[in-house]
Amino acid sequence: ISMNDEMDEFFLYRFSASPDLVADWTRDRDRLASAIGRVRPNGGTAMYDAVLTGLQNMLEERKRNPDYQYSVVAFTDGKSNMGRRLEDFKRAYEQLPEDVRGIPVFMVLFGEADAGDLKALVEITGCKVFDARKTPLYAVFKDIRAYQ
């Protein structure tokens, strides 16, 4: 999250109808910026699938690097209307190993995002929703970093 920390690694999923990996684990800021620049909306919001897929990706990475700190940061401007429903997400989430369920999930909303959906999701995952419509993005990242 801190683009100044050379040790931070990122991966990026775009999620519309389903999660789509656009950048696998990397420390390369140029590669990440290029991947972000290629992300375009294409309808639908599979928010619960995206968060679950991100956590599952971290499960695999955690096996290789168990001492890293992990977090999911999901940005959305829509209402979850594709893929899993909240109840489905909750059941799948409960099947994850306990240490993966301990990974913080931060939701950042823009535009027409449904704050109710996001609050329900973070009640399950135990973290926080940030409203980027009211708070500058740099302040959101600073607050997220404070949780780590």
Side-chain angles (χ1 to χ4, degrees):
I1 294 182
S2 168
M3 297 301 280
N4 296 324
D5 190 334
E6 296 293 323
M7 295 304 294
D8 285 347
E9 290 189 42
F10 302 87
F11 66 91
L12 177 67
Y13 281 93
R14 176 188 70 200
F15 58 98
S16 291
S18 63
D20 177 33
L21 184 66
V22 293
D24 207 350
W25 289 97
T26 185
R27 288 186 180 138
D28 183 332
R29 302 308 191 250
D30 292 334
R31 181 173 165 232
L32 184 66
S34 176
I36 291 170
R38 291 189 309 270
V39 172
R40 300 284 181 264
N42 67 356
T45 303
M47 181 175 61
Y48 302 119
D49 287 352
V51 170
L52 186 61
T53 300
L55 288 166
Q56 290 166 333
N57 188 328
M58 289 181 181
L59 171 62
E60 294 306 312
E61 183 64 18
R62 192 169 221 157
K63 290 175 185 174
R64 289 185 286 277
N65 296 299
D67 297 329
Y68 284 11
Q69 277 189 288
Y70 295 89
S71 59
V72 171
V73 181
F75 296 83
T76 186
D77 66 352
K79 177 174 177 57
S80 188
N81 59 9
M82 304 287 288
R84 284 180 179 80
R85 295 171 299 141
L86 180 64
E87 299 79 25
D88 302 324
F89 171 83
K90 185 175 181 179
R91 279 191 295 277
Y93 180 80
E94 289 169 351
Q95 298 304 309
L96 293 171
E98 184 177 344
D99 63 332
V100 175
R101 289 192 316 266
I103 293 172
V105 175
F106 302 99
M107 300 302 300
V108 181
L109 63 94
F110 291 93
E112 305 292 320
D114 185 332
D117 274 357
L118 304 181
K119 288 178 183 172
L121 187 136
V122 298
E123 283 179 18
I124 295 168
T125 62
C127 223
K128 188 169 179 172
V129 173
F130 294 94
D131 190 339
R133 298 173 297 191
K134 300 175 185 174
T135 305
L137 202 49
Y138 73 86
V140 169
F141 282 125
K142 184 177 177 183
D143 286 347
I144 290 171
R145 185 55 126 182
Y147 279 87
Q148 296 179 325

